[in-house]
């Protein structure tokens, strides 16, 4: 049974997120939740690794020493997923898949975080953002001509005032992009392939409908884009209803909030290269808000390096809170009974 209040909430079910959850469980922390927008943990491995692909501890020749309680060994795609499956089953870790976190807000008065998924709200004393590499949002299936790529966005970076902009998508990110751009004196059209919105929270849908009625932006529903062309420096967007329109810029929000925008919305400070700023324990400028995995450091796909992030984060949390939990030996017992995972 899931509770509304947690000690640690982990956003992202890759190795960094899994390690944080498991290290927290090993150290006896009771209330832990792991949230991922995919339908299971380790979605990158499941999606991009071929069957029986080797998964090595020393990734690309770089040796990484495991520092925490979660060991890792050479194996295959299948054995790695099986390993994580069995470890996650050992301890009381709540998991919530097919769920995208929309916002993380620190309540300074309550000294906790409010985590919103649009349909559910959770509170947690600490949050770990482990959502994977930055700058890899979903892209359309049709070709984007190289000559217009400078005018194609996957977030709001580089947008200015007075542009004619097409926003593509039907989620909360697309809605927020659209009405924020409209407020900045842009001519905005939001195109969505379905006849009605199915994933918007009530507030965003109400704003869109109001702005559409006031002609501050235009909603173009039940419409697909078939192709893009360069028309004398403008983006010619061809639709499946036989019509086309010229735009100055097109913004895709077809895979949820991009990592950069998500981090900014959380209040996490970024450096000049839009990478999160954090200390030696992976804590950001916000107390008890951490980053882990490739989003914290370009581990280059090293699962072992991401596992170490979780160990340091949990130790940092325990030191700063001054709490001592009852250590569990379930992982040690599991490894004793399953020597193939050593």
């Amino acid at each position: 049974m899931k509770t509304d209040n947690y000690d640690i909430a982990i956003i992202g079910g890759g190795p960094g997120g899994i390690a944080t959850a498991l290290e927290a469980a090993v150290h006896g922390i009771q209330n832990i939740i792991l949230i991922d927008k995919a339908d299971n943990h380790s979605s990158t491995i499941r999606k991009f690794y071929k069957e029986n692909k080797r998964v090595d501890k020393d990734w690309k020749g770089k040796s990484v020493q495991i520092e925490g309680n979660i060991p890792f060994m050479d194996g295959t795609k299948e054995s790695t997923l099986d390993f994580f499956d069995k470890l996650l089953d050992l301890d009381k870790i709540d998991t919530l898949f097919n769920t995208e976190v929309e916002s993380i807000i620190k309540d300074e008065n309550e000294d906790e975080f409010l985590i919103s998924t649009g349909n559910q709200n959770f509170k947690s004393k600490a949050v770990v953002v482990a959502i994977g590499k930055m700058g890899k949002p979903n892209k359309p299936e049709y070709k984007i001509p190289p000559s217009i790529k400078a005018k194609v966005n996957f977030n709001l970076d580089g947008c200015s005032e007075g542009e004619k902009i097409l926003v593509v998508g039907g989620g909360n990110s697309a809605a927020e992009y659209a009405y924020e751009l409209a407020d900045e004196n842009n001519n905005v059209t939001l195109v969505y392939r379905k006849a009605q919105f199915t994933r918007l929270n009530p507030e965003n849908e109400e704003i869109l409908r109001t702005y559409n009625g006031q002609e501050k932006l235009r909603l173009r529903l039940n419409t697909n884009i078939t192709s893009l062309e360069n028309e004398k420096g403008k983006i010619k967007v061809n639709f499946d209803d036989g019509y086309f329109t010229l735009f100055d810029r097109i913004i895709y929000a077809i895979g949820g909030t991009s990592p950069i925008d998500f981090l900014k919305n959380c209040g996490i400070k970024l450096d000049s290269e839009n990478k999160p700023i954090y200390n030696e324990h992976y804590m950001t400028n916000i107390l008890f808000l951490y980053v882990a995995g490739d989003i914290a450091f370009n581990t280059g796909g090293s699962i072992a390096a991401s596992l170490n992030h979780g160990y340091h984060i949990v130790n940092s949390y325990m030191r700063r809170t001054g709490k001592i939990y009852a250590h569990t030996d379930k992982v040690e017992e599991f490894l004793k009974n399953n020597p193939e995972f050593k």
Side-chain angles (χ1 to χ4, degrees):
M1 179 69 68
K2 293 181 173 61
T3 65
D4 291 328
N5 294 278
Y6 292 90
D7 292 307
I8 294 182
I10 300 108
I11 317 304
I18 292 172
T20 305
L22 291 171
E23 289 288 354
V26 166
H27 285 84
I29 298 174
Q30 294 295 312
N31 299 313
I32 309 160
I33 187 169
L34 177 71
I35 306 173
D36 197 289
K37 66 179 180 180
D39 59 3
N40 209 332
H41 67 81
S42 308
S43 60
T44 298
I45 295 176
R46 296 178 192 276
K47 184 176 180 181
F48 296 108
Y49 283 37
K50 296 180 180 179
E51 292 184 5
N52 297 314
K53 174 180 171 61
R54 283 203 57 78
V55 179
D56 296 325
K57 171 182 171 292
D58 295 336
W59 180 250
K60 295 183 179 179
K62 183 178 180 181
S63 179
V64 177
Q65 181 179 355
I66 298 295
E67 302 174 69
N69 295 280
I70 313 304
F72 189 69
M73 70 304 296
D74 296 343
T76 64
K77 169 184 177 178
E78 290 76 15
S79 68
T80 299
L81 293 175
D82 185 40
F83 178 59
F84 287 149
D85 281 338
K86 291 180 177 179
L87 284 177
L88 284 172
D89 287 342
L90 286 178
D91 288 284
K92 188 178 182 300
I93 299 171
D94 286 345
T95 56
L96 188 60
F97 297 114
N98 290 312
T99 302
E100 185 169 5
V101 172
E102 295 183 351
S103 65
I104 301 171
I105 300 173
K106 181 71 176 287
D107 187 336
E108 298 295 346
N109 294 325
E110 299 292 334
D111 198 27
E112 61 187 5
F113 295 89
L114 177 65
I115 303 165
S116 176
T117 67
N119 297 320
Q120 295 174 275
N121 291 326
F122 304 96
K123 291 183 178 180
S124 183
K125 297 174 184 176
V127 176
V128 181
V129 179
I131 54 178
K133 279 189 175 182
M134 303 175 71
K136 288 199 173 182
N138 290 340
K139 296 182 179 181
E141 295 180 357
Y142 47 85
K143 180 181 178 181
I144 298 176
S147 60
I148 62 171
K149 282 188 176 180
K151 300 180 180 180
V152 175
N153 287 43
F154 295 91
N155 53 47
L156 295 182
D157 288 352
C159 296
S160 58
E161 295 185 4
E163 291 187 313
K164 187 175 182 179
I165 301 175
L166 179 68
V167 178
V168 184
N172 287 299
S173 296
E176 291 162 9
Y177 286 171
Y179 63 71
E180 287 178 18
L181 290 167
D183 284 340
E184 295 174 358
N185 299 316
N186 292 291
N187 182 340
V188 181
T189 299
L190 174 63
V191 62
Y192 184 44
R193 58 186 175 83
K194 295 184 179 181
Q196 58 185 5
F197 296 109
T198 57
R199 296 183 290 124
L200 292 184
N201 62 47
E203 180 182 359
N204 278 338
E205 184 160 7
E206 181 180 357
I207 293 174
L208 280 187
R209 299 294 183 186
T210 300
Y211 276 37
N212 183 54
Q214 295 174 347
E215 297 184 354
K216 294 183 69 173
L217 60 78
R218 179 190 178 195
L219 298 180
R220 190 165 184 171
L221 304 179
N222 200 29
T223 305
N224 278 305
I225 297 172
T226 58
S227 64
L228 304 181
E229 299 176 52
N230 186 337
E231 182 80 18
K232 298 180 179 179
K234 301 284 187 178
I235 303 174
K236 181 181 179 182
V237 181
N238 298 305
F239 299 101
D240 59 1
D241 57 9
Y243 292 93
F244 71 87
T245 307
L246 300 180
F247 293 92
D248 298 311
R249 186 180 302 275
I250 184 169
I251 302 176
Y252 290 98
I254 55 179
T257 304
S258 72
I260 293 174
D261 285 338
F262 183 76
L263 293 174
K264 288 180 178 178
N265 290 337
C266 292
I268 296 174
K269 291 183 178 179
L270 309 179
D271 63 17
S272 60
E273 296 181 351
N274 281 325
K275 296 179 181 179
I277 299 172
Y278 52 87
N279 66 14
E280 67 273 20
H281 304 298
Y282 305 100
M283 187 162 65
T284 68
N285 55 292
I286 300 174
L287 184 65
F288 295 132
L289 179 55
Y290 298 87
V291 287
D294 273 357
I295 200 169
F297 178 74
N298 185 13
T299 61
S302 171
I303 292 176
S306 294
L307 294 180
N308 286 341
H309 292 178
Y311 172 73
H312 288 289
I313 287 169
V314 171
N315 277 276
S316 169
Y317 170 75
M318 295 180 69
R319 283 195 302 270
R320 285 184 171 270
T321 58
K323 293 183 178 180
I324 300 176
Y325 299 88
H327 194 281
T328 175
D329 60 357
K330 287 186 177 181
V331 171
E332 183 178 344
E333 181 182 349
F334 167 76
L335 293 171
K336 181 179 179 180
N337 296 328
N338 297 270
E340 70 271 20
F341 287 116
K342 284 189 176 181

